[in-house]
Amino acid sequence: MPNFKTQLLIVILVLVPIVVLSEPEAVEALLSRLDSKRSSASVQEAAAKAVLKRLLPTHVDSFDFKIVSKEACGGQSCFLLNNNNLSRRQGPEIQIKGTTAVEIASGLHWYLKYWCGAHVSWDKTGGVQVVSIPKPGSLPRVRDEGLKIQRPIPWNYYQNVVTSSYSFVWWDWERWQKEIDWMALQGINLPLAFTGQESIWQKVFMDFNISKEDLNDFFGGPAFLAWARMGNLHAWGGPLSQNWLDQQLVLQKQILTRMLELGMTPVLPSFSGNVPAALKKIYPSANITRLGDWNTVNGDPRWCCTYLLDPSDTLFVEIGTAFIRQQVEEYGDVTDIYNCDTFNENSPPTNDPAYISSLGAAVYKAMSKGDKDAVWLMQGWLFYSDSSFWKPPQMKALLHSVPFGKMIVLDLFADVKPIWRTSSQFYGTPYIWCLLHNFGGNIEMYGILDAVSSGPVDARTSENSTMVGVGMCMEGIEHNPVIYELTSEMAFRSEKVQVQDWLKTYSLRRYGKTVHQVEAAWEILHHTIYNCTDGIADHNTDFIVKFPDWDPSSNPISNITKQNQMQMLLALDRKRRVLLQETSAHLPQAHLWYSTQEVVNALRLFLDGGNDLSGSLTYRYDLVDLTRQVLSKLANQVYVDAVTAYQGRDVKAYSLHSRNFVQLIKDIDVLLASDDNFLLGTWLESAKKLAANPTERRQYEWNARTQVTMWFDNTKTNQSKLHDYANKFWSGLLGSYYLPRASTYFSYLSKSLRVNKDFEVEEWRKEWISLSNGWQAGTELYPVKAKGDALAISRALYKKYFS
């Protein structure tokens, strides 16, 4: 029989209505709170003007910028383009209004693209093309009634949690300023802001009696911080100096200040449960578990097997709350959105939905105690990568473990494997349609333009849609500018884009003029390179940069080590990438999804248009990249021909094909050296530039060299399981690293044929790994300036290999 207190509680629950917001209401309430945190109109207008001044200093007075309320945009975010008073002889010609500075910058970019034929991309993909913009006083007029572009969804999200390591790690403020300008012009209003968090963690953990020495074993090195943050490894590439920690915190404050001036909402990190080993000794009763191995060669405890504090432990909430509050103390009240991926590639100990729900609630409690309005932003990668665990009951338990409207999910791989379709719109949870596209910062022409042009619209207009944004979640940036320009536009488009028509205008904008041969080349690229529909996550497995580690003897598969069978024939990291596929002939095959001959034809057309575009940096970048792509795919076939000849004991054919493979590496290295954006030296020098002393200089260079080559630990006879994950087509790296690897391998095969003995694969591994470790520790200088005529070199290589 219920007692008096229970009866009273029932009465109270009946009398006091529980307010449950619908999905649109919850999102609108969040947007209103975020709007209240924005900088003043004058600050945002000045920030937008500064973007214009850095982009187009000659036209600062040609535009008038004004912040307007959402009421002027029908209650949504938008930008408006209008002509200024025609009677004026002087002053601004075009007025751009927007609900934030990001909207104003987006409107500026839209005008420059579609009225002036200009183009903006990353410096390392050719930079800007602004020669087509008329002089001040002669800017094209928009239509008399003006133009209003509304966002059909609130957010344009940017970054992957590992982009900070693969792309941003060595950036200074000058480079960050360019990136934030690019973000604003592309309309990005919800970016991750992960820089400098180790400094925050140092302060938090020291309050829990963790020493600086303990943290040396916890933090990874600069190039590996992303994986230390996720609890995949510890200490690898470290320790972090106090100089690094202080420097990065200052940089983070500059980044946040600029984001806020432009009206962006930064996404800050939160506590996922990853803790230093020392915490277990200080709190022996805490529920702390040592995780299993993540891709070390032999479970070396120096960097393997990190510690996870269970979210159900009260200490989890204490630490998580302290971290949020420390960020607020350092940065101010700048956001309500926090990223946390406790279960990313780390399944809960049981699939009991009630337990999963309690874990999710605890994770959110740690956020909300630090910020009462906190919203949990979670990568949805786990629902794809570990789909055997995350069935509907488990997904619902996690997604519904927090109050409605307090979680946003990134449908991380929606361009290839959209989860929203198979999960009833994430069971009613708001989500962002995301493009993943790139792994490891690899340089590979790849994409699915048709999916980008239609996927966000399909998701938004589907029945009971809970989509609230478009996002770009690539692991590395500064490649395939065509993909990222179109994806950014989709955050402003309410209808699908006709890609072929769009590509014609893209070609005109990117190069500053119409060249019919190049237009025709882009038509081919659309239905070949940029039409990958095989469902494979494209990790560059071309043999030059991802050289097969195997023994191609008469029964080749049986001679591959257990480790390398896994590397060659399976998708590592839970479907994150398909490395090599076994064919019926038991030969490794790199990822290929298009007709190579058609793309060779596209290259010929690109070359035919070269005389009209020889002075264009955007053309030069695309030409070098396309020539590299074509030659790299040719090298894959040459490698297979060499191995086939070896297996057939055809000495003459083997010698020809192995020499051709080595020569292709040399030729591609010369090609890449002709463009500033494909140079190893730039990466290494940017790392060394951040160092405060010789010790840091050596450490940072080792980090930079190791990430793009061996990546993780190795033994004398076993390469890292992640070797070449972050491979790069960079001049200097081909000549000094990939070339000797292939040369030594082929020399061992030659010896095997010459003396009629088995291939000494273990001896080759010993020699190669020793060479690699020496290279990683090296200090040789590499060029940071291009040399050679890219067009002439590309023409010569086309003639050499395809005429």
Side-chain angles (χ1 to χ4, degrees):
M1 183 174 179
N3 60 28
F4 175 75
K5 289 183 179 179
T6 304
Q7 292 174 331
L8 179 62
L9 177 61
I10 293 171
V11 171
I12 291 172
L13 289 175
V14 170
L15 294 177
V16 180
I18 298 174
V19 178
V20 178
L21 297 178
S22 68
E23 186 265 331
E25 290 172 333
V27 172
E28 194 56 43
L30 172 59
L31 290 171
S32 295
R33 287 199 309 275
L34 295 175
D35 286 344
S36 70
K37 297 176 186 287
R38 298 202 197 284
S39 301
S40 67
S42 60
V43 167
Q44 291 191 62
E45 288 165 1
K49 202 73 167 180
V51 172
L52 170 60
K53 186 175 182 179
R54 288 187 289 272
L55 174 67
L56 207 60
T58 54
H59 289 66
V60 170
D61 296 327
S62 300
F63 295 89
D64 178 40
F65 293 160
K66 184 176 178 60
I67 295 289
V68 295
S69 68
K70 285 186 177 179
E71 283 66 34
C73 295
Q76 296 175 272
S77 296
C78 83
F79 61 80
L80 303 101
L81 306 180
N82 291 100
N83 302 315
N84 251 359
N85 194 328
L86 293 176
S87 64
R88 294 182 182 179
R89 293 285 183 179
Q90 296 179 333
E93 300 166 73
I94 302 295
Q95 183 181 67
I96 303 177
K97 299 177 183 178
T99 45
T100 68
V102 168
E103 257 61 39
I104 291 175
S106 302
L108 171 66
H109 190 202
W110 201 275
Y111 174 80
L112 294 177
K113 285 200 296 187
Y114 290 110
W115 273 264
C116 302
H119 174 77
V120 176
S121 68
W122 291 296
D123 284 355
K124 284 183 70 66
T125 56
V128 300
Q129 184 288 112
V130 294
V131 295
S132 62
I133 300 175
K135 293 179 180 180
S138 304
L139 290 180
R141 315 295 287 176
V142 300
R143 60 194 184 209
D144 290 344
E145 65 273 23
L147 175 73
K148 178 170 72 174
I149 299 288
Q150 291 177 313
R151 289 185 188 266
I153 33 81
W155 288 301
N156 190 345
Y157 173 81
Y158 183 54
Q159 294 180 41
N160 188 296
V161 294
V162 302
T163 319
S164 57
S165 289
Y166 282 132
S167 295
F168 306 157
V169 54
W170 309 122
W171 285 6
D172 57 14
W173 171 240
E174 180 182 2
R175 178 60 188 87
W176 261 110
Q177 180 169 250
K178 287 185 177 181
E179 187 70 8
I180 298 171
D181 284 356
W182 178 88
M183 288 160 53
L185 291 163
Q186 304 296 335
I188 291 161
N189 59 4
L190 190 65
L192 278 186
F194 268 28
T195 302
Q197 63 179 280
E198 282 68 32
S199 184
I200 305 293
W201 279 122
Q202 182 188 58
K203 294 174 183 179
V204 170
F205 279 130
M206 288 180 70
D207 284 343
F208 285 84
N209 298 315
I210 302 293
S211 69
K212 289 185 177 181
E213 290 69 28
D214 293 330
L215 292 175
N216 285 342
D217 184 59
F218 178 63
F219 297 140
F224 303 97
L225 285 176
W227 301 275
R229 292 166 181 168
M230 290 188 287
N232 300 134
L233 53 82
H234 65 99
W236 180 251
L240 294 180
S241 68
Q242 193 61 46
N243 170 64
W244 173 273
L245 295 170
D246 296 343
Q247 177 192 74
Q248 293 295 297
L249 183 59
V250 170
L251 183 59
Q252 170 74 338
K253 290 179 178 180
Q254 291 176 298
I255 292 167
L256 288 174
T257 297
R258 181 58 52 79
M259 288 179 174
L260 295 170
E261 289 172 350
L262 287 163
M264 297 177 183
T265 298
V267 178
L268 292 177
S270 62
F271 182 48
S272 65
N274 181 33
V275 294
L279 196 73
K280 191 171 180 64
K281 297 177 183 178
I282 298 169
Y283 296 89
S285 62
N287 187 359
I288 298 175
T289 305
R290 190 163 198 186
L291 300 177
D293 181 36
W294 183 85
N295 286 313
T296 64
V297 171
N298 56 9
D300 193 322
R302 289 177 295 172
W303 23 81
C304 156
C305 311
T306 57
Y307 289 86
L308 184 72
L309 175 61
D310 195 285
S312 64
D313 195 292
T314 56
L315 187 60
F316 185 101
V317 175
E318 288 183 48
I319 295 175
T321 301
F323 181 67
I324 297 292
R325 288 176 176 169
Q326 186 65 44
Q327 289 187 108
V328 173
E329 183 179 328
E330 289 284 350
Y331 311 138
D333 184 13
V334 299
T335 189
D336 287 333
I337 303 183
Y338 301 90
N339 169 259
C340 183
D341 294 305
T342 296
F343 310 112
N344 191 43
E345 301 191 9
N346 173 34
S347 300
T350 173
N351 65 0
D352 177 27
Y355 179 76
I356 292 171
S357 181
S358 69
L359 293 184
V363 170
Y364 179 71
K365 184 179 180 181
M367 291 182 199
S368 60
K369 283 195 72 174
D371 178 349
K372 63 181 177 59
D373 295 319
V375 173
W376 179 359
L377 181 80
M378 182 181 71
Q379 291 190 146
W381 177 255
L382 69 169
F383 302 133
Y384 165 73
S385 66
D386 198 8
S387 56
S388 60
F389 178 90
W390 294 101
K391 301 297 185 184
Q394 289 74 33
M395 286 184 67
K396 289 179 185 177
L398 179 57
L399 295 172
H400 295 168
S401 65
V402 303
F404 189 78
K406 295 295 186 178
M407 177 183 282
I408 300 171
V409 182
L410 302 178
D411 196 354
L412 206 71
F413 202 22
D415 54 319
V416 177
K417 300 287 184 181
I419 300 299
W420 68 266
R421 288 186 182 275
T422 57
S423 64
S424 301
Q425 307 278 350
F426 288 94
Y427 303 106
T429 303
Y431 73 91
I432 294 176
W433 187 100
C434 293
L435 169 91
L436 180 52
H437 187 255
N438 176 270
F439 295 89
N442 295 163
I443 296 173
E444 167 96 302
M445 293 180 71
Y446 157 83
I448 320 173
L449 282 171
D450 289 344
V452 172
S453 70
S454 61
V457 178
D458 287 339
R460 182 177 54 80
T461 59
S462 60
E463 186 177 4
N464 299 318
S465 176
T466 56
M467 176 185 161
V468 293
V470 173
M472 298 184 289
C473 300
M474 59 283 117
E475 289 192 351
I477 64 168
E478 300 176 321
H479 53 80
N480 292 287
V482 65
I483 294 290
Y484 297 99
E485 179 162 338
L486 181 57
T487 306
S488 296
E489 278 197 17
M490 296 311 296
F492 290 95
R493 291 190 177 273
S494 56
E495 297 180 355
K496 297 179 182 181
V497 172
Q498 298 301 313
V499 176
Q500 200 57 55
D501 294 338
W502 185 88
L503 280 174
K504 288 181 180 179
T505 66
Y506 174 82
S507 175
L508 169 63
R509 296 193 310 268
R510 183 149 170 84
Y511 310 122
K513 62 174 71 173
T514 297
V515 178
H516 296 299
Q517 298 98 318
V518 174
E519 270 191 7
W522 272 107
E523 185 172 347
I524 294 172
L525 297 179
H526 172 207
H527 66 254
T528 53
I529 284 176
Y530 290 113
N531 186 37
C532 181
T533 57
D534 60 15
I536 294 176
D538 184 64
H539 189 283
N540 195 333
T541 55
D542 287 351
F543 299 144
I544 288 176
V545 294
K546 180 69 179 175
F547 197 77
D549 180 353
W550 72 309
D551 181 353
S553 299
S554 55
N555 187 17
I557 297 300
S558 65
N559 288 318
I560 305 173
T561 66
K562 184 176 181 180
Q563 171 193 325
N564 288 293
Q565 282 185 34
M566 186 178 297
Q567 290 178 340
M568 293 178 64
L569 304 177
L570 299 179
L572 286 182
D573 285 346
R574 298 176 180 167
K575 301 181 184 176
R576 179 175 280 180
R577 60 205 185 276
V578 173
L579 298 182
L580 298 170
Q581 298 169 324
E582 181 185 356
T583 68
S584 58
H586 298 297
L587 292 174
Q589 294 292 315
H591 185 203
L592 183 64
W593 63 96
Y594 59 83
S595 162
T596 55
Q597 184 55 54
E598 284 192 77
V599 177
V600 170
N601 293 340
L603 174 58
R604 177 181 54 77
L605 288 167
F606 242 82
L607 289 169
D608 289 346
N611 290 338
D612 293 322
L613 297 172
S614 58
S616 166
L617 295 180
T618 46
Y619 170 77
R620 186 179 75 179
Y621 173 87
D622 289 348
L623 175 65
V624 169
D625 201 24
L626 181 56
T627 307
R628 172 210 57 74
Q629 181 92 1
V630 166
L631 293 177
S632 181
K633 301 307 177 188
L634 174 63
N636 292 340
Q637 183 56 53
V638 172
Y639 170 87
V640 170
D641 292 341
V643 170
T644 302
Y646 169 82
Q647 292 178 334
R649 318 306 286 181
D650 186 336
V651 175
K652 184 177 180 181
Y654 167 78
S655 178
L656 172 65
H657 296 310
S658 60
R659 284 200 313 271
N660 285 346
F661 187 87
V662 168
Q663 187 59 48
L664 275 162
I665 298 177
K666 295 177 180 178
D667 286 344
I668 296 174
D669 191 69
V670 171
L671 169 73
L672 297 175
S674 68
D675 189 283
D676 294 309
N677 305 303
F678 296 93
L679 303 179
L680 169 65
T682 306
W683 170 254
L684 298 182
E685 292 306 314
S686 63
K688 291 184 283 186
K689 185 180 177 182
L690 289 187
N693 54 59
T695 300
E696 286 186 359
R697 184 181 175 91
R698 290 297 298 271
Q699 180 193 10
Y700 296 177
E701 182 166 7
W702 183 91
N703 269 254
R705 286 169 174 256
T706 297
Q707 189 204 83
V708 299
T709 54
M710 197 62 78
W711 208 108
F712 211 4
D713 67 332
N714 57 261
T715 65
K716 290 184 178 180
T717 56
N718 281 300
Q719 296 193 70
S720 159
K721 290 182 180 180
L722 296 176
H723 74 87
D724 300 311
Y725 182 89
N727 65 63
K728 302 290 189 293
F729 270 99
W730 284 340
S731 179
L733 190 58
L734 267 73
S736 68
Y737 191 84
Y738 299 140
L739 177 62
R741 176 168 63 183
S743 297
T744 55
Y745 184 85
F746 286 131
S747 69
Y748 274 87
L749 285 183
S750 296
K751 179 182 177 183
S752 168
L753 287 176
R754 190 170 61 252
V755 300
N756 199 28
K757 288 186 177 180
D758 289 341
F759 172 49
E760 296 175 323
V761 65
E762 291 293 314
E763 292 305 309
W764 170 72
R765 286 178 182 143
K766 286 180 184 177
E767 181 174 343
W768 166 242
I769 292 169
S770 177
L771 285 171
S772 176
N773 292 165
W775 189 92
Q776 292 164 245
T779 58
E780 307 85 10
L781 297 177
Y782 293 91
V784 294
K785 295 293 183 183
K787 63 176 182 179
D789 183 329
L791 181 56
I793 293 169
S794 185
R795 281 174 169 163
L797 291 175
Y798 181 89
K799 182 178 180 181
K800 179 177 181 178
Y801 290 104
F802 303 110
S803 63

